[in-house]
Amino acid sequence: MIYFVLRRSIFAVVLLLIVSAFTFWIFSALPSDPAALTCGKNCRPEVIEANRERLGYDKPLVEQYGAYMKGIFTGRTYGEEGSSIHCPAPSLGYSYDRHECVTSLIASTLPVTASIALGAFVLWMGIGVGLGTLAALKRGKWQDRVATAFSVIGVSLPTFFLGLIFIMVFVIWTGLLPFPRYTGITDNPVEWFMALLLPWFVLAIISAATYVRMTRNGILEVMNEEFVRLGIAKGLPRRRLIVRYVLRAALVPIVTIAGLDFAFLLGGALVTESIFNLPGLGKLTLAAVVNSDLPILVATTMVAAVFIVVANTVVDILYGYLDPRVRVK
Amino acid sequence: MTLLSVQDLHVTFGTADGAVRAVQGVSFDVAAGETVAIVGESGSGKSVTANSLLRLNFGADVRIDGRILLDGRDVLAMSEDEVRSVRGRDVAMIFQDPLTALNPFYTVGYQIAEAFAIHHPGTSKKELREIALDSLQKVGIPEPTKRIDQYPHEFSGGMRQRIVIAIALVNSPKLLIADEPTTALDVTVQAQILELIAQMQAEHGSAVILITHDLGVVAEITERVMVMYAGRVVESASVADAFSTPTHPYTRGLLKSVKSLDTERHERLESIPGIPPSLINLPSGCPFHPRCGFAETLAGRCEREVPELRLVGASRSACHLPEDRLLGLLGGLS
């Protein structure tokens, strides 16, 4: 088991190295000149060249990548004494547009995105698995139809549309909630909760739709399994049969997909964060796209990749615990 | 003493294509400790009959009529809770495919212990483990103390069927229903499993209903045989009678289509022409008449009347042919 975890971890590190190199290369291949973006429209060529040298954009790409990777572990100082800028480790570069170290930008936005992702995840798993189970157990009855209708609507609604409707209904028309303004959970938990309630539900409803169908179909499929029939023939009470035999088997594949979906969301919920004005990774990314802030884009892309790779590894390891058939001894 | 009495059982499945009449008017008794085989092709209603005994027929639209008296209590009239207390305790089942019959997420020890614990609440964990160990040993699993904590996928097909048998017998049921218990197994393992069932039966005194399409299995361990065709019992006889003097053309066909040691080397095996009828669109009269070589000799009677079971020699047969011809069936198409 330790060997398995170790092997998976090494694989994950290699994968991340490849992803980082690729990301770095792609963004450097863009036609925009990062040095020219460091100062405004009427910039003198001398300043551009000075900045190019200071930020290291004059070096060959491989060297730039090397300096970047080194910076992650040791921190990085741009420029000579006097006018130098220092970004401590782990340094993910320096944003010439915002004049801030990228790491501190990410450190301030990640908790916001994590708050959104975590709450949405809990809600969507609850709604998705709960409704899906109900639909399967009441197959063909009205509960099933309601769940199916929910999932069709959820799948077909775009995030921005549902988000705007929510704001219109709950904030503008009824005034049940204040307009979302993000507050840190440590500053004011109640305000934090109120601000995130709508984005949680928007993301949850849209994601849950898929999980309702997956859960429903998974359960119905497992119910036809011979071992479930043997469970009934043993005289198992219905509740125990559903939990230990049916749900246990039906949820394994769902857990796998849920882990990846969660990691994807951790990379930033671009649309939702923008609509609800939440200063998370997604909003940071979107602003960086608009301003051609390449260091931020490289960093957010890599952060998202780290989450996906880590989630993949965790899910793989978790799978062994959930299903004895793939357990490694 | 009669343990089980099935009276005029009808099972119908509603489907989009129409009503599937899987079982029509099946009646039979099983005495305590007796072994009865139900034989027939796929779709003859043998498994549906077996499943009905524990109300295990699922599906959107199932209709079960008739009476299934177990120790005088009608299973079909029981509440859901009452049926559940019968399942696994009074009547246990062994399924066809041991590879899929065990829950892949729990150890075999857990699954055996669970079968006991359901009907004996309050049994301590230690006792349950002892019981599971004992069961594994009895069904011939080597190294039970090690194997008890293993998962089903770590066992071979034959071993898994032994575990399924251990689960079925842990409560010493009065009736054991074995639905094609050897069909999915290697030939070499089949005999071992049959022997185990016979041995366990002797030990627990359970009656056994063995569902199979394998006449070799029937000859091996049962005393009485019921032959089913298209949802009806067409012949019911002792195994000795059924093999020596079959009293129904279908039984005769089944016997003729099996090779035995007596078959001459160059003798061709006979087969029953045609295919089993659709249960949605059954032929009129005797359901077997379109495939029966004797039907023409009775001037259309087979197409009009459904034959009832009647006494022919020592057996019971549902055929319109006169008794003397039925008793001489093996002689050939006379």
mmCIF file of all heavy atoms in Angstrom, chain B residues 56-92:
data_model
loop_
_atom_site.group_PDB
_atom_site.id
_atom_site.type_symbol
_atom_site.label_atom_id
_atom_site.label_comp_id
_atom_site.label_asym_id
_atom_site.label_seq_id
_atom_site.Cartn_x
_atom_site.Cartn_y
_atom_site.Cartn_z
ATOM 1 N N LEU B 56 -39.666 -13.425 -4.397
ATOM 2 C CA LEU B 56 -38.482 -12.722 -4.891
ATOM 3 C C LEU B 56 -38.651 -12.315 -6.349
ATOM 4 O O LEU B 56 -37.679 -12.032 -7.031
ATOM 5 C CB LEU B 56 -37.237 -13.608 -4.759
ATOM 6 C CG LEU B 56 -36.732 -13.873 -3.350
ATOM 7 C CD1 LEU B 56 -35.573 -14.845 -3.369
ATOM 8 C CD2 LEU B 56 -36.316 -12.577 -2.670
ATOM 9 N N ASN B 57 -39.885 -12.341 -6.851
ATOM 10 C CA ASN B 57 -40.089 -11.897 -8.224
ATOM 11 C C ASN B 57 -40.221 -10.390 -8.225
ATOM 12 O O ASN B 57 -41.153 -9.827 -7.683
ATOM 13 C CB ASN B 57 -41.367 -12.503 -8.807
ATOM 14 C CG ASN B 57 -41.225 -13.999 -8.961
ATOM 15 O OD1 ASN B 57 -40.246 -14.471 -9.496
ATOM 16 N ND2 ASN B 57 -42.200 -14.731 -8.459
ATOM 17 N N PHE B 58 -39.269 -9.718 -8.847
ATOM 18 C CA PHE B 58 -39.337 -8.270 -8.878
ATOM 19 C C PHE B 58 -39.698 -7.816 -10.272
ATOM 20 O O PHE B 58 -39.753 -8.598 -11.194
ATOM 21 C CB PHE B 58 -38.005 -7.665 -8.447
ATOM 22 C CG PHE B 58 -37.547 -8.213 -7.143
ATOM 23 C CD1 PHE B 58 -36.443 -9.037 -7.076
ATOM 24 C CD2 PHE B 58 -38.266 -7.949 -5.996
ATOM 25 C CE1 PHE B 58 -36.038 -9.565 -5.869
ATOM 26 C CE2 PHE B 58 -37.866 -8.470 -4.783
ATOM 27 C CZ PHE B 58 -36.748 -9.282 -4.730
ATOM 28 N N GLY B 59 -39.865 -6.554 -10.390
ATOM 29 C CA GLY B 59 -40.249 -6.014 -11.682
ATOM 30 C C GLY B 59 -41.432 -5.117 -11.464
ATOM 31 O O GLY B 59 -42.085 -5.154 -10.414
ATOM 32 N N ALA B 60 -41.684 -4.303 -12.446
ATOM 33 C CA ALA B 60 -42.690 -3.270 -12.279
ATOM 34 C C ALA B 60 -44.066 -3.876 -12.045
ATOM 35 O O ALA B 60 -44.827 -3.412 -11.216
ATOM 36 C CB ALA B 60 -42.685 -2.377 -13.506
ATOM 37 N N ASP B 61 -44.374 -4.950 -12.737
ATOM 38 C CA ASP B 61 -45.756 -5.374 -12.781
ATOM 39 C C ASP B 61 -45.841 -6.897 -12.690
ATOM 40 O O ASP B 61 -45.955 -7.583 -13.695
ATOM 41 C CB ASP B 61 -46.352 -4.853 -14.104
ATOM 42 C CG ASP B 61 -47.854 -4.955 -14.107
ATOM 43 O OD1 ASP B 61 -48.422 -5.292 -13.045
ATOM 44 O OD2 ASP B 61 -48.448 -4.703 -15.163
ATOM 45 N N VAL B 62 -45.757 -7.407 -11.474
ATOM 46 C CA VAL B 62 -45.815 -8.854 -11.293
ATOM 47 C C VAL B 62 -47.111 -9.217 -10.596
ATOM 48 O O VAL B 62 -47.517 -8.544 -9.643
ATOM 49 C CB VAL B 62 -44.647 -9.355 -10.403
ATOM 50 C CG1 VAL B 62 -44.572 -10.861 -10.430
ATOM 51 C CG2 VAL B 62 -43.342 -8.754 -10.843
ATOM 52 N N ARG B 63 -47.755 -10.281 -11.068
ATOM 53 C CA ARG B 63 -48.974 -10.747 -10.422
ATOM 54 C C ARG B 63 -48.789 -12.198 -10.031
ATOM 55 O O ARG B 63 -48.468 -13.036 -10.876
ATOM 56 C CB ARG B 63 -50.124 -10.639 -11.414
ATOM 57 C CG ARG B 63 -51.375 -10.036 -10.845
ATOM 58 C CD ARG B 63 -52.450 -10.174 -11.892
ATOM 59 N NE ARG B 63 -53.385 -11.189 -11.413
ATOM 60 C CZ ARG B 63 -54.540 -10.878 -10.861
ATOM 61 N NH1 ARG B 63 -54.902 -9.614 -10.755
ATOM 62 N NH2 ARG B 63 -55.338 -11.816 -10.427
ATOM 63 N N ILE B 64 -48.919 -12.474 -8.752
ATOM 64 C CA ILE B 64 -48.799 -13.853 -8.296
ATOM 65 C C ILE B 64 -50.134 -14.271 -7.691
ATOM 66 O O ILE B 64 -50.636 -13.618 -6.779
ATOM 67 C CB ILE B 64 -47.689 -14.014 -7.227
ATOM 68 C CG1 ILE B 64 -46.376 -13.372 -7.711
ATOM 69 C CG2 ILE B 64 -47.455 -15.471 -6.902
ATOM 70 C CD1 ILE B 64 -45.240 -13.484 -6.713
ATOM 71 N N ASP B 65 -50.705 -15.345 -8.199
ATOM 72 C CA ASP B 65 -51.953 -15.868 -7.643
ATOM 73 C C ASP B 65 -51.749 -17.305 -7.219
ATOM 74 O O ASP B 65 -50.837 -17.979 -7.681
ATOM 75 C CB ASP B 65 -53.075 -15.802 -8.688
ATOM 76 C CG ASP B 65 -53.427 -14.371 -9.029
ATOM 77 O OD1 ASP B 65 -53.656 -13.590 -8.097
ATOM 78 O OD2 ASP B 65 -53.433 -14.059 -10.234
ATOM 79 N N GLY B 66 -52.655 -17.772 -6.379
ATOM 80 C CA GLY B 66 -52.575 -19.138 -5.888
ATOM 81 C C GLY B 66 -52.198 -19.140 -4.420
ATOM 82 O O GLY B 66 -52.291 -18.115 -3.741
ATOM 83 N N ARG B 67 -51.786 -20.298 -3.941
ATOM 84 C CA ARG B 67 -51.394 -20.387 -2.530
ATOM 85 C C ARG B 67 -50.053 -21.086 -2.404
ATOM 86 O O ARG B 67 -49.764 -22.054 -3.106
ATOM 87 C CB ARG B 67 -52.449 -21.170 -1.752
ATOM 88 C CG ARG B 67 -53.821 -20.501 -1.821
ATOM 89 C CD ARG B 67 -54.578 -20.638 -0.549
ATOM 90 N NE ARG B 67 -54.946 -22.018 -0.247
ATOM 91 C CZ ARG B 67 -55.449 -22.374 0.928
ATOM 92 N NH1 ARG B 67 -55.571 -21.478 1.888
ATOM 93 N NH2 ARG B 67 -55.784 -23.627 1.132
ATOM 94 N N ILE B 68 -49.211 -20.560 -1.537
ATOM 95 C CA ILE B 68 -47.931 -21.200 -1.246
ATOM 96 C C ILE B 68 -47.896 -21.414 0.257
ATOM 97 O O ILE B 68 -47.630 -20.486 1.016
ATOM 98 C CB ILE B 68 -46.755 -20.310 -1.701
ATOM 99 C CG1 ILE B 68 -46.789 -20.122 -3.220
ATOM 100 C CG2 ILE B 68 -45.427 -20.925 -1.268
ATOM 101 C CD1 ILE B 68 -45.762 -19.135 -3.744
ATOM 102 N N LEU B 69 -48.253 -22.625 0.668
ATOM 103 C CA LEU B 69 -48.339 -22.884 2.102
ATOM 104 C C LEU B 69 -47.024 -23.455 2.615
ATOM 105 O O LEU B 69 -46.592 -24.520 2.190
ATOM 106 C CB LEU B 69 -49.477 -23.861 2.399
ATOM 107 C CG LEU B 69 -50.869 -23.401 1.943
ATOM 108 C CD1 LEU B 69 -51.893 -24.489 2.197
ATOM 109 C CD2 LEU B 69 -51.264 -22.121 2.670
ATOM 110 N N LEU B 70 -46.426 -22.704 3.518
ATOM 111 C CA LEU B 70 -45.193 -23.166 4.150
ATOM 112 C C LEU B 70 -45.535 -23.451 5.604
ATOM 113 O O LEU B 70 -45.889 -22.539 6.343
ATOM 114 C CB LEU B 70 -44.118 -22.072 4.048
ATOM 115 C CG LEU B 70 -42.746 -22.420 4.588
ATOM 116 C CD1 LEU B 70 -42.044 -23.417 3.677
ATOM 117 C CD2 LEU B 70 -41.907 -21.171 4.739
ATOM 118 N N ASP B 71 -45.475 -24.717 5.997
ATOM 119 C CA ASP B 71 -45.925 -25.111 7.331
ATOM 120 C C ASP B 71 -47.343 -24.605 7.579
ATOM 121 O O ASP B 71 -47.675 -24.162 8.678
ATOM 122 C CB ASP B 71 -44.993 -24.529 8.415
ATOM 123 C CG ASP B 71 -43.802 -25.439 8.664
ATOM 124 O OD1 ASP B 71 -43.900 -26.641 8.359
ATOM 125 O OD2 ASP B 71 -42.775 -24.932 9.150
ATOM 126 N N GLY B 72 -48.160 -24.616 6.546
ATOM 127 C CA GLY B 72 -49.548 -24.212 6.691
ATOM 128 C C GLY B 72 -49.781 -22.715 6.588
ATOM 129 O O GLY B 72 -50.928 -22.268 6.549
ATOM 130 N N ARG B 73 -48.732 -21.907 6.529
ATOM 131 C CA ARG B 73 -48.923 -20.461 6.433
ATOM 132 C C ARG B 73 -48.733 -20.023 4.979
ATOM 133 O O ARG B 73 -47.767 -20.408 4.332
ATOM 134 C CB ARG B 73 -47.918 -19.714 7.314
ATOM 135 C CG ARG B 73 -48.135 -19.974 8.789
ATOM 136 C CD ARG B 73 -47.475 -18.889 9.616
ATOM 137 N NE ARG B 73 -46.085 -18.701 9.245
ATOM 138 C CZ ARG B 73 -45.408 -17.570 9.459
ATOM 139 N NH1 ARG B 73 -46.020 -16.546 10.009
ATOM 140 N NH2 ARG B 73 -44.155 -17.461 9.126
ATOM 141 N N ASP B 74 -49.654 -19.205 4.485
ATOM 142 C CA ASP B 74 -49.597 -18.799 3.084
ATOM 143 C C ASP B 74 -48.594 -17.660 2.883
ATOM 144 O O ASP B 74 -48.800 -16.544 3.346
ATOM 145 C CB ASP B 74 -50.989 -18.361 2.612
ATOM 146 C CG ASP B 74 -51.013 -18.161 1.098
ATOM 147 O OD1 ASP B 74 -49.943 -18.184 0.469
ATOM 148 O OD2 ASP B 74 -52.126 -17.993 0.564
ATOM 149 N N VAL B 75 -47.509 -17.971 2.184
ATOM 150 C CA VAL B 75 -46.453 -16.979 1.952
ATOM 151 C C VAL B 75 -47.012 -15.765 1.194
ATOM 152 O O VAL B 75 -46.632 -14.625 1.445
ATOM 153 C CB VAL B 75 -45.283 -17.607 1.160
ATOM 154 C CG1 VAL B 75 -44.242 -16.554 0.782
ATOM 155 C CG2 VAL B 75 -44.631 -18.715 1.960
ATOM 156 N N LEU B 76 -47.935 -16.032 0.275
ATOM 157 C CA LEU B 76 -48.452 -14.943 -0.549
ATOM 158 C C LEU B 76 -49.348 -13.992 0.236
ATOM 159 O O LEU B 76 -49.588 -12.871 -0.187
ATOM 160 C CB LEU B 76 -49.215 -15.502 -1.755
ATOM 161 C CG LEU B 76 -48.351 -16.300 -2.738
ATOM 162 C CD1 LEU B 76 -49.191 -16.811 -3.889
ATOM 163 C CD2 LEU B 76 -47.190 -15.463 -3.252
ATOM 164 N N ALA B 77 -49.858 -14.464 1.396
ATOM 165 C CA ALA B 77 -50.745 -13.610 2.185
ATOM 166 C C ALA B 77 -49.999 -12.913 3.323
ATOM 167 O O ALA B 77 -50.572 -12.147 4.076
ATOM 168 C CB ALA B 77 -51.890 -14.454 2.759
ATOM 169 N N MET B 78 -48.673 -13.192 3.440
ATOM 170 C CA MET B 78 -47.915 -12.620 4.552
ATOM 171 C C MET B 78 -47.637 -11.131 4.347
ATOM 172 O O MET B 78 -47.585 -10.656 3.221
ATOM 173 C CB MET B 78 -46.560 -13.325 4.670
ATOM 174 C CG MET B 78 -46.630 -14.696 5.288
ATOM 175 S SD MET B 78 -44.967 -15.390 5.359
ATOM 176 C CE MET B 78 -45.357 -17.034 5.945
ATOM 177 N N SER B 79 -47.406 -10.437 5.465
ATOM 178 C CA SER B 79 -46.968 -9.048 5.366
ATOM 179 C C SER B 79 -45.499 -9.051 4.955
ATOM 180 O O SER B 79 -44.824 -10.073 5.019
ATOM 181 C CB SER B 79 -47.118 -8.353 6.714
ATOM 182 O OG SER B 79 -46.127 -8.823 7.595
ATOM 183 N N GLU B 80 -45.016 -7.877 4.550
ATOM 184 C CA GLU B 80 -43.622 -7.768 4.111
ATOM 185 C C GLU B 80 -42.665 -8.212 5.222
ATOM 186 O O GLU B 80 -41.687 -8.902 4.966
ATOM 187 C CB GLU B 80 -43.367 -6.308 3.695
ATOM 188 C CG GLU B 80 -42.199 -6.083 2.762
ATOM 189 C CD GLU B 80 -42.163 -7.024 1.562
ATOM 190 O OE1 GLU B 80 -43.192 -7.172 0.858
ATOM 191 O OE2 GLU B 80 -41.111 -7.612 1.334
ATOM 192 N N ASP B 81 -42.984 -7.838 6.468
ATOM 193 C CA ASP B 81 -42.121 -8.218 7.594
ATOM 194 C C ASP B 81 -42.126 -9.724 7.831
ATOM 195 O O ASP B 81 -41.097 -10.317 8.141
ATOM 196 C CB ASP B 81 -42.579 -7.507 8.879
ATOM 197 C CG ASP B 81 -42.014 -6.087 8.951
ATOM 198 O OD1 ASP B 81 -41.027 -5.821 8.235
ATOM 199 O OD2 ASP B 81 -42.580 -5.270 9.694
ATOM 200 N N GLU B 82 -43.300 -10.330 7.680
ATOM 201 C CA GLU B 82 -43.392 -11.775 7.900
ATOM 202 C C GLU B 82 -42.584 -12.539 6.852
ATOM 203 O O GLU B 82 -41.876 -13.484 7.166
ATOM 204 C CB GLU B 82 -44.860 -12.220 7.861
ATOM 205 C CG GLU B 82 -45.627 -11.861 9.117
ATOM 206 C CD GLU B 82 -47.122 -12.122 8.976
ATOM 207 O OE1 GLU B 82 -47.695 -11.777 7.916
ATOM 208 O OE2 GLU B 82 -47.695 -12.674 9.908
ATOM 209 N N VAL B 83 -42.694 -12.080 5.588
ATOM 210 C CA VAL B 83 -41.925 -12.746 4.533
ATOM 211 C C VAL B 83 -40.446 -12.635 4.821
ATOM 212 O O VAL B 83 -39.677 -13.571 4.641
ATOM 213 C CB VAL B 83 -42.218 -12.121 3.148
ATOM 214 C CG1 VAL B 83 -41.408 -12.813 2.068
ATOM 215 C CG2 VAL B 83 -43.677 -12.208 2.830
ATOM 216 N N ARG B 84 -40.051 -11.450 5.300
ATOM 217 C CA ARG B 84 -38.641 -11.226 5.556
ATOM 218 C C ARG B 84 -38.112 -12.167 6.636
ATOM 219 O O ARG B 84 -36.980 -12.630 6.585
ATOM 220 C CB ARG B 84 -38.399 -9.775 5.950
ATOM 221 C CG ARG B 84 -36.968 -9.357 5.746
ATOM 222 C CD ARG B 84 -36.815 -7.881 5.705
ATOM 223 N NE ARG B 84 -37.324 -7.282 6.903
ATOM 224 C CZ ARG B 84 -38.065 -6.191 6.937
ATOM 225 N NH1 ARG B 84 -38.358 -5.572 5.826
ATOM 226 N NH2 ARG B 84 -38.510 -5.723 8.065
ATOM 227 N N SER B 85 -38.955 -12.465 7.609
ATOM 228 C CA SER B 85 -38.482 -13.360 8.666
ATOM 229 C C SER B 85 -38.416 -14.812 8.170
ATOM 230 O O SER B 85 -37.710 -15.627 8.747
ATOM 231 C CB SER B 85 -39.378 -13.242 9.895
ATOM 232 O OG SER B 85 -40.604 -13.881 9.656
ATOM 233 N N VAL B 86 -39.157 -15.094 7.088
ATOM 234 C CA VAL B 86 -39.076 -16.441 6.509
ATOM 235 C C VAL B 86 -37.818 -16.574 5.653
ATOM 236 O O VAL B 86 -37.116 -17.576 5.668
ATOM 237 C CB VAL B 86 -40.337 -16.728 5.646
ATOM 238 C CG1 VAL B 86 -40.142 -17.992 4.823
ATOM 239 C CG2 VAL B 86 -41.559 -16.848 6.539
ATOM 240 N N ARG B 87 -37.529 -15.492 4.909
ATOM 241 C CA ARG B 87 -36.372 -15.495 4.015
ATOM 242 C C ARG B 87 -35.078 -15.716 4.792
ATOM 243 O O ARG B 87 -34.777 -15.007 5.743
ATOM 244 C CB ARG B 87 -36.247 -14.161 3.280
ATOM 245 C CG ARG B 87 -37.283 -13.931 2.227
ATOM 246 C CD ARG B 87 -37.146 -12.528 1.659
ATOM 247 N NE ARG B 87 -38.231 -12.235 0.738
ATOM 248 C CZ ARG B 87 -38.658 -11.005 0.462
ATOM 249 N NH1 ARG B 87 -38.110 -9.974 1.054
ATOM 250 N NH2 ARG B 87 -39.642 -10.826 -0.397
ATOM 251 N N GLY B 88 -34.316 -16.685 4.349
ATOM 252 C CA GLY B 88 -33.013 -16.915 4.969
ATOM 253 C C GLY B 88 -33.091 -17.732 6.244
ATOM 254 O O GLY B 88 -32.108 -18.336 6.640
ATOM 255 N N ARG B 89 -34.257 -17.733 6.910
ATOM 256 C CA ARG B 89 -34.354 -18.506 8.150
ATOM 257 C C ARG B 89 -35.066 -19.839 7.893
ATOM 258 O O ARG B 89 -34.524 -20.898 8.154
ATOM 259 C CB ARG B 89 -35.105 -17.715 9.217
ATOM 260 C CG ARG B 89 -34.988 -18.355 10.600
ATOM 261 C CD ARG B 89 -35.892 -17.693 11.603
ATOM 262 N NE ARG B 89 -37.296 -17.845 11.235
ATOM 263 C CZ ARG B 89 -38.303 -17.267 11.874
ATOM 264 N NH1 ARG B 89 -38.071 -16.495 12.905
ATOM 265 N NH2 ARG B 89 -39.549 -17.461 11.485
ATOM 266 N N ASP B 90 -36.303 -19.777 7.364
ATOM 267 C CA ASP B 90 -37.041 -21.015 7.075
ATOM 268 C C ASP B 90 -36.728 -21.532 5.672
ATOM 269 O O ASP B 90 -36.689 -22.725 5.434
ATOM 270 C CB ASP B 90 -38.547 -20.765 7.189
ATOM 271 C CG ASP B 90 -38.933 -20.343 8.591
ATOM 272 O OD1 ASP B 90 -38.286 -20.826 9.537
ATOM 273 O OD2 ASP B 90 -39.854 -19.523 8.732
ATOM 274 N N VAL B 91 -36.568 -20.576 4.762
ATOM 275 C CA VAL B 91 -36.292 -20.946 3.384
ATOM 276 C C VAL B 91 -35.066 -20.172 2.922
ATOM 277 O O VAL B 91 -35.032 -18.956 3.020
ATOM 278 C CB VAL B 91 -37.480 -20.597 2.459
ATOM 279 C CG1 VAL B 91 -37.190 -21.036 1.032
ATOM 280 C CG2 VAL B 91 -38.767 -21.228 2.965
ATOM 281 N N ALA B 92 -34.060 -20.875 2.437
ATOM 282 C CA ALA B 92 -32.850 -20.194 1.957
ATOM 283 C C ALA B 92 -32.635 -20.526 0.489
ATOM 284 O O ALA B 92 -33.148 -21.519 -0.012
ATOM 285 C CB ALA B 92 -31.641 -20.619 2.777
#
